[in-house]
Amino acid sequence: MSYFVSRHRTVMSIFDKEPRINKDVFVAPSASVIGDVEIGHGSSIWYGSVLRGDVNSIRIGSGSNIQDNSLVHVAKTNISGKVLPTIIGSNVTVGHSAVLHACTIEDEAFVGMGATLLDGVVVEKHSMVGAGSLVKQNTRIPSGEVWVGNPAKFLRKLTEEEITFIAQSAANYINLAHVHATENSKSFDEIELEKKLRKKFAHKDEEYDSMLGVVREIPPQLILPDNILPD
């Protein structure tokens, strides 16, 4: 019998540069955090994401989320010789499969799914980049604006509801990260026990239950917090 041993390392040093990750940060097992990367408390790095701080640094504040399959990289210098790390503020949401390269995203900004931000881009506080957008080099997106398209251009001002949504999105991901961190820390025996519980308490329709005279209650281990949506 042959065995496959994965060489994947979730957290890896390079060029004597070691990631500095707050103890309550959730880093998914399939993510990669490499080199000169600093992540503040309550932030989360989701499945398949890569943060590669090899030729420059990556800084992420508190309460931010880098969602699944996103890429964050840096540039040693640009054509004009300017040093370009990647800086992500606090309570920032970066949607699935986004690409952030040598750019700056200020606090409480939102980057939509599949968006690409090139070298020197600055996304100011309370601004939003639409899903699938390409933001060209050295573009500055002013506070309170929505930019979309390829290349991205100004669309309109954010509403108060959208600004509130950005903050709520970050808060939701902080809570969701706690759930995933707990699940990923479970032992094999705990996982097997939950499988049995789920089978025992599997959902049946009311008519089926009434035929058996069964009243089903969901065990507390399987109940999500109120502020986490099922989807």
Side-chain angles (χ1 to χ4, degrees), residues 17-57:
K17 296 174 182 177
E18 182 178 358
R20 297 176 300 284
I21 302 172
N22 192 278
K23 62 182 180 180
D24 69 349
V25 168
F26 169 64
V27 180
S30 58
S32 297
V33 180
I34 302 166
D36 190 0
V37 181
E38 185 174 325
I39 308 174
H41 69 89
S43 289
S44 53
I45 312 301
W46 291 82
Y47 305 94
S49 292
V50 176
L51 280 63
R52 182 155 60 93
D54 45 9
V55 297
N56 214 319
S57 62

Side-chain angles (χ1 to χ4, degrees), residues 157-194:
K157 292 286 190 179
L158 264 75
T159 65
E160 290 298 326
E161 290 77 12
E162 287 168 332
I163 292 174
T164 301
F165 164 78
I166 292 174
Q168 188 59 53
S169 174
N172 287 344
Y173 262 87
I174 291 172
N175 293 327
L176 190 57
H178 288 314
V179 176
H180 282 258
T182 299
E183 188 66 31
N184 278 283
S185 67
K186 288 178 180 176
S187 66
F188 177 79
D189 290 339
E190 289 174 316
I191 293 170
E192 289 302 304
L193 174 61
E194 285 203 358

Side-chain angles (χ1 to χ4, degrees), residues 52 71-76 84-86 99-104 116-121 137:
R52 182 155 60 93
L71 170 64
V72 182
H73 193 221
V74 293
K76 191 171 185 179
L84 291 173
T86 293
V99 176
L100 311 181
H101 198 272
C103 58
T104 297
T116 299
L117 279 59
L118 299 180
D119 296 24
V121 166
Q137 290 182 336

Side-chain angles (χ1 to χ4, degrees), residues 14 45 47-48 56 115 124 128-129 131 136 140 153 155 169 171 173 199-200 226:
I14 195 166
I45 312 301
Y47 305 94
N56 214 319
E124 294 185 359
M128 181 179 291
V129 178
K136 295 191 300 183
R140 175 175 286 270
K153 297 180 180 179
L155 176 66
S169 174
Y173 262 87
K199 185 175 181 180
K200 179 180 178 181
D226 292 338

Side-chain angles (χ1 to χ4, degrees), residues 73-151:
H73 193 221
V74 293
K76 191 171 185 179
T77 58
N78 63 1
I79 295 175
S80 63
K82 184 177 180 181
V83 175
L84 291 173
T86 293
I87 302 171
I88 300 170
S90 297
N91 301 316
V92 171
T93 289
V94 176
H96 315 288
S97 299
V99 176
L100 311 181
H101 198 272
C103 58
T104 297
I105 305 174
E106 297 182 354
D107 297 348
E108 297 180 22
F110 187 99
V111 177
M113 295 182 288
T116 299
L117 279 59
L118 299 180
D119 296 24
V121 166
V122 177
V123 181
E124 294 185 359
K125 183 176 182 178
H126 292 160
S127 55
M128 181 179 291
V129 178
S133 298
L134 172 64
V135 186
K136 295 191 300 183
Q137 290 182 336
N138 302 316
T139 300
R140 175 175 286 270
I141 298 179
S143 178
E145 294 187 0
V146 181
W147 284 49
V148 299
N150 181 0

